[in-house]
């Protein structure tokens, strides 16, 4: 129906109804909550301006309400509200009194878009339009304009977000800061070995390197300047094998990245000591004891620097090979930490916990906490078994060691002892996982160790390094597959079932310990504590005679005492040689082929192109199902670079063995 405001619409037939708009579009009065506003960073999320007005409600036609009629807020720096310089915002429309509130961010955007420079002051005009619709202003009614003086907040383009490789800025895990807004961003991060990342600036540009740039280490470009501009262009960077605290510099103008790994951090001066690094919080913590007032300390550490000139190591065991040795110093005053030489003052004698917080790249801070009544445990505990010494990892509470230390060790002797960094001799008894006294260790067995100084106990729990599965219930004659520990109590691997959709299998580790479901026979549980004698799989409860048999990827989690089985319908190998493609029906995707004579062997053929990084094996065309070639060719879901072909232009047959869960690269002659 067509409405002409202020006119009566009459039909051509006398016997038809006469339609008219009984209420015309009506002007209203707009009342602001204030006439002067200064927007700061703290105000961006807060309400800053409220506008009150009266609404006549929806337009009424022939005595009935319609959907026509809308109130629109217009804002402009020009009191004449020209279309090209006016912003329109649809307002709430409830008959009677209404209020529309704008946050600091909304006001700032309106003012900046209108033409007021960041950090400057200007006058904005506001008025309310009563129109037929948001796109039809025919015969609209306008309120008298009001003026509001606004000082805008200058948005600083100071942040550079680090997300996982090929992830969006919404998946950012860390950030760097540019104090001068010059495209050079810096910050400390908790680095993982071979961490892959994609950077994002505040203009929503993605940064990294790509295949078209020959995957250059510590070189970056934005997606907008990549030779391939498509959104699916892989663009990322990566770190080296080093782990721990790392000072990162990203220079988007020069297209360079630099990593400065902090190998250690200590303090000297009136008192001396070392710091512990908490990688979850990106904090350094230590305990300082002074016997006099106004003692000063200097903080410094040893570093290794990597950039595009140094290159990167080829394997984890060579992680210090190419880094340039150096140092870093920190100084502090009034709770603020800066990079550079200087001192931190300890004003009063006593024991203090000093926490250096490097998590916020825009402001590093420190805090001194009085420990007059705190129990101080040693920073380090070393387990000694024969000639083997292992420094245990301390459990951190509130930045201090809690008295609990954990680690792993292989028994090269039947006895164990401990060395404490504070020089004290704690009376610790050695027990097994059930709390029984452990008179001697099993030679060559692997143990999880947990030292608890408060309880005066050291728990040695024998840990498997591999699990073997066998056919049947409680029988250990026919080996199905071997699964290797990833170092965290999780065992993963492939299993090729050849002739059954439901079957029972038994599990035993290399120490002879038997595993099964719990006593409630919950299918996907696994335990060695009073277990049943087997596990089972039933992937065809409907007994479909036409079911296709596929291998499985099995994961045993001995920490959670659970396991999972995922069908593997296909498997791919990917790397630089095929631009990391794994998609189904992509001509570059390299598929594995099952050996017709031996279903436990799958093979693929690749030809290397340039310097190779560890190819990845995936299954079911999904990056969620990644496998790597670990030590001795053992398949592992943990990223590593222990075993892979490095020769350029060579052709390799890649063989996956489902029984021993290995991958082997054989060069074609």
């Amino acid at each position: 129906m067509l409405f002409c405001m202020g006119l009566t619409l009459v039909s051509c037939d006398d016997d038809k109804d006469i339609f008219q708009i009984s209420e015309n579009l009506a002007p209203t009065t707009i009342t602001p909550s204030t006439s002067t506003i200064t927007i700061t960073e703290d105000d961006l999320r807060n309400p800053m301006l409220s506008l009150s007005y009266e609404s006549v409600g929806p337009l009424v036609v022939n005595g009935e309400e319609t959907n026509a009629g809308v109130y629109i807020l217009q804002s402009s720096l020009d009191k004449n509200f020209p279309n090209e310089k006016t912003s329109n915002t649809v307002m709430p429309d409830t008959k009677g009194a209404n209020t529309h509130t704008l946050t600091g961010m909304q006001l700032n955007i309106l003012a900046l878009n209108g033409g007021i420079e960041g950090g400057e002051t200007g006058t904005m005009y506001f008025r309310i339009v009563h129109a037929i619709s948001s796109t039809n202003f025919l015969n609209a009614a306008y309120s008298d304009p009001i003026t509001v003086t606004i000082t805008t907040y200058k948005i600083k383009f100071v942040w550079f977000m680090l997300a996982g490789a090929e992830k969006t800025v919404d998946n950012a895990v860390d950030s760097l800061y540019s104090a001068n807004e010059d495209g050079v961003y810096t910050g400390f991060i908790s680095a993982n070995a071979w961490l892959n990342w994609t950077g994002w600036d505040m203009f929503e540009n993605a940064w990294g390197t790509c295949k078209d740039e020959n995957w250059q280490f510590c070189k970056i470009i934005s997606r907008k300047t990549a030779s391939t501009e498509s959104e699916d262009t892989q663009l990322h960077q990566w770190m080296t094998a080093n782990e721990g605290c790392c000072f990162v510099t990203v220079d988007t103008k020069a297209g360079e990245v630099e990593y400065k790994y902090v190998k250690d951090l200590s303090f000297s001066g009136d008192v001396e000591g070392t710091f512990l690094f908490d990688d979850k919080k990106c904090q350094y913590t230590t305990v300082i004891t002074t016997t006099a007032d106004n003692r000063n300390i200097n903080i410094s550490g040893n570093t290794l620097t990597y950039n595009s000139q140094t290159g990167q190591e080829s394997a984890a065991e060579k992680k210090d090979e190419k880094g340039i040795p150096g140092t870093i110093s920190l100084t502090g005053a009034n709770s603020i930490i800066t990079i550079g030489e200087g001192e931190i003052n300890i004003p009063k004698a006593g024991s203090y916990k000093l926490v250096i917080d490097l998590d916020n790249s825009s402001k590093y801070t420190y805090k001194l906490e009085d420990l007059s009544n705190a129990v101080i445990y040693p920073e380090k505990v070393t387990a000694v078994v024969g000639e083997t010494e292992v420094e245990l990892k301390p459990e951190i509470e509130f930045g201090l060691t809690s008295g609990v230390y954990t680690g792993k060790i292989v028994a090269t002797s039947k006895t164990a002892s401990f060395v404490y960094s504070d020089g004290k001799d704690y009376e610790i008894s050695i027990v097994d996982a059930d709390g029984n006294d452990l008179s001697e260790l099993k030679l060559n067995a692997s143990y999880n160790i947990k030292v608890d100084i408060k309880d005066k106990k050291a728990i040695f729990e024998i840990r498997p390094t591999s699990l073997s599965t066998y056919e049947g219930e409680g029988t250990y004659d026919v080996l199905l597959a071997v699964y290797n520990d990833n170092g965290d109590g999780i065992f993963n691997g492939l299993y090729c079932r050849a002739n059954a959709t439901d079957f029972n299998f038994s599990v035993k580790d290399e120490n002879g310990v038997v595993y099964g479901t719990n006593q409630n026979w919950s299918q996907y549980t696994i335990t060695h504590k009073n277990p049943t004698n087997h596990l089972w799989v039933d992937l065809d409860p409907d007994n479909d005679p036409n079911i296709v048999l596929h291998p499985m990827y099995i994961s045993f989690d001995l920490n959670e005492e659970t396991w999972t089985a995922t069908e593997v319908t296909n498997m791919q190998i990917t790397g630089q040689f095929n631009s990391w493609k794994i998609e189904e029906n992509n001509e570059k995707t390299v598929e594995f082929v099952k050996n017709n004579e031996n279903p436990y062997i799958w093979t693929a053929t690749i030809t290397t192109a340039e310097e190779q990084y560890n190819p990845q094996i995936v299954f079911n065309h999904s990056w969620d199902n990644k496998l790597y070639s670990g030590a001795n060719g053992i398949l592992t879901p943990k990223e590593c670079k222990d075993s892979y072909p490095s020769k350029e232009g060579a052709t390799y047959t890649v063989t996956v063995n489902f029984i021993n869960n290995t991958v082997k690269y054989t060069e074609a002659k």
Side-chain angles (χ1 to χ4, degrees), residues 28 30 53 71-73 91 126-130 141-143:
T28 186
I30 179 173
Y53 58 97
Y71 285 87
I72 297 169
L73 175 67
M91 308 263 277
F126 294 90
R127 70 181 181 184
I128 289 182
V129 184
H130 192 198
Y142 298 85
S143 71

Side-chain angles (χ1 to χ4, degrees), residues 210-501:
C210 63
K211 182 178 185 297
D212 293 336
E213 303 296 324
N214 295 319
W215 297 109
Q216 297 178 80
F217 176 65
C218 282
K219 288 283 191 179
I220 57 169
I221 58 171
S222 71
R223 177 164 277 132
K224 290 185 177 179
T225 58
S227 56
T228 304
E229 296 183 0
S230 117
E231 285 298 315
D232 63 358
T233 300
Q234 290 188 342
L235 202 65
H236 63 268
Q237 253 300 334
W238 59 92
M239 306 186 75
T240 72
N242 304 73
E243 296 184 325
C245 183
C246 183
F247 184 73
V248 181
T249 301
V250 172
D251 187 337
T252 56
K253 289 185 176 180
E256 294 278 348
V257 179
E258 181 181 88
Y259 303 117
K260 188 186 294 288
Y261 289 91
V262 183
K263 297 181 67 177
D264 53 61
L265 199 67
S266 60
F267 59 93
S268 59
D270 293 330
V271 287
E272 297 181 352
T274 59
F275 286 88
L276 290 174
F277 183 63
D278 185 342
D279 58 1
K280 292 182 174 61
K281 299 179 180 179
C282 203
Q283 293 179 346
Y284 279 100
T285 306
T286 193
V287 174
I288 296 176
T289 300
T290 62
T291 56
D293 296 347
N294 289 316
R295 300 292 88 185
N296 295 311
I297 61 170
N298 310 100
I299 299 174
S300 63
N302 294 301
T303 62
L304 283 174
T305 298
Y306 295 83
N307 51 43
S308 60
Q309 300 302 310
T310 66
Q312 63 175 336
E313 287 83 3
S314 58
E317 65 269 15
K318 300 179 181 179
K319 64 183 179 182
D320 294 346
E321 183 182 65
K322 294 189 177 181
I324 301 173
T327 60
I328 190 170
S329 297
L330 303 177
T331 184
N334 301 319
S335 300
I336 301 299
I337 286 286
T338 54
I339 298 174
E341 295 184 356
E343 299 176 329
I344 290 181
N345 179 256
I346 314 298
K348 296 291 184 181
S351 292
Y352 298 89
K353 178 178 72 171
L354 172 59
V355 179
I356 297 177
D357 191 340
L358 304 175
D359 189 51
N360 184 347
S361 296
S362 67
K363 183 167 63 177
Y364 310 129
T365 61
Y366 74 94
K367 181 168 58 176
L368 280 170
E369 296 182 18
D370 191 348
L371 297 178
S372 301
N373 300 316
V375 177
I376 307 300
Y377 294 102
E379 291 183 1
K380 299 178 181 178
V381 173
T382 301
V384 181
V385 179
E387 296 181 355
T388 304
E389 295 185 3
V390 174
E391 185 177 310
L392 304 181
K393 183 178 181 180
E395 182 182 278
I396 304 297
E397 289 182 355
F398 309 109
L400 289 175
T401 52
S402 66
V404 176
Y405 310 79
T406 57
K408 299 177 175 67
I409 200 167
V410 176
T412 56
S413 172
K414 293 184 178 182
T415 59
S417 60
F418 301 95
V419 177
Y420 307 94
S421 60
D422 59 5
K424 296 181 180 179
D425 185 15
Y426 295 92
E427 296 180 0
I428 299 293
S429 59
I430 298 177
V431 299
D432 63 18
D434 297 321
N436 302 315
D437 288 337
L438 191 61
S439 58
E440 60 180 38
L441 304 179
K442 181 180 179 181
L443 286 176
N444 300 318
S446 297
Y447 286 91
N448 290 323
I449 306 174
K450 180 179 180 181
V451 174
D452 190 332
I453 293 179
K454 290 178 291 185
D455 290 345
K456 297 185 176 182
K457 289 182 179 180
I459 301 173
F460 276 68
E461 181 180 19
I462 197 165
R463 56 179 287 267
T465 58
S466 66
L467 296 178
S468 298
T469 56
Y470 299 85
E471 190 176 281
E473 301 179 22
T475 58
Y476 306 97
D477 299 325
V478 181
L479 178 67
L480 298 178
V482 178
Y483 303 89
N484 298 284
D485 185 15
N486 297 318
D488 52 9
I490 298 177
F491 301 73
N492 308 82
L494 298 163
Y495 165 63
C496 187
R497 66 188 194 280
N499 54 10
T501 55

Side-chain angles (χ1 to χ4, degrees), residues 53-238:
Y53 58 97
E54 291 283 332
S55 168
V56 299
L59 296 181
V60 176
V61 177
N62 208 33
E64 294 183 2
E65 286 190 353
T66 69
N67 292 325
V70 65
Y71 285 87
I72 297 169
L73 175 67
Q74 290 191 324
S75 60
S76 179
L77 298 186
D78 188 330
K79 64 182 179 181
N80 295 315
F81 294 90
N83 289 337
E84 67 276 9
K85 296 183 179 180
T86 299
S87 295
N88 296 320
T89 305
V90 176
M91 308 263 277
D93 188 6
T94 302
K95 188 173 184 179
N98 285 268
T99 300
H100 182 61
T101 301
L102 296 168
T103 65
M105 178 67 79
Q106 291 169 321
L107 270 179
N108 208 58
I109 292 173
L110 287 175
L112 293 175
N113 289 343
I116 302 176
E117 295 293 329
E120 301 296 325
T121 302
T123 298
M124 288 205 71
Y125 296 89
F126 294 90
R127 70 181 181 184
I128 289 182
V129 184
H130 192 198
I132 299 174
S133 71
S134 60
T135 57
N136 187 349
F137 282 37
L138 181 66
N139 294 323
Y142 298 85
S143 71
D144 292 330
I146 61 166
T147 60
V148 179
T149 301
I150 298 175
T151 301
T152 62
Y153 170 69
K154 183 179 180 181
I155 298 176
K156 298 179 179 179
F157 294 92
V158 295
W159 293 104
F160 188 84
M161 312 305 291
L162 301 180
E166 308 306 322
K167 300 294 185 181
T168 65
V169 68
D170 296 332
N171 302 109
V173 296
D174 222 318
S175 60
L176 306 176
Y177 184 75
S178 176
N180 299 321
E181 298 184 73
D182 57 1
V184 179
Y185 304 87
T186 61
F188 291 92
I189 69 171
S190 297
N192 297 323
W194 309 116
L195 173 67
N196 280 261
W197 56 268
T198 295
W200 293 88
D201 62 25
M202 294 183 69
F203 297 97
E204 297 188 355
N205 295 321
W207 291 83
T209 186
C210 63
K211 182 178 185 297
D212 293 336
E213 303 296 324
N214 295 319
W215 297 109
Q216 297 178 80
F217 176 65
C218 282
K219 288 283 191 179
I220 57 169
I221 58 171
S222 71
R223 177 164 277 132
K224 290 185 177 179
T225 58
S227 56
T228 304
E229 296 183 0
S230 117
E231 285 298 315
D232 63 358
T233 300
Q234 290 188 342
L235 202 65
H236 63 268
Q237 253 300 334
W238 59 92

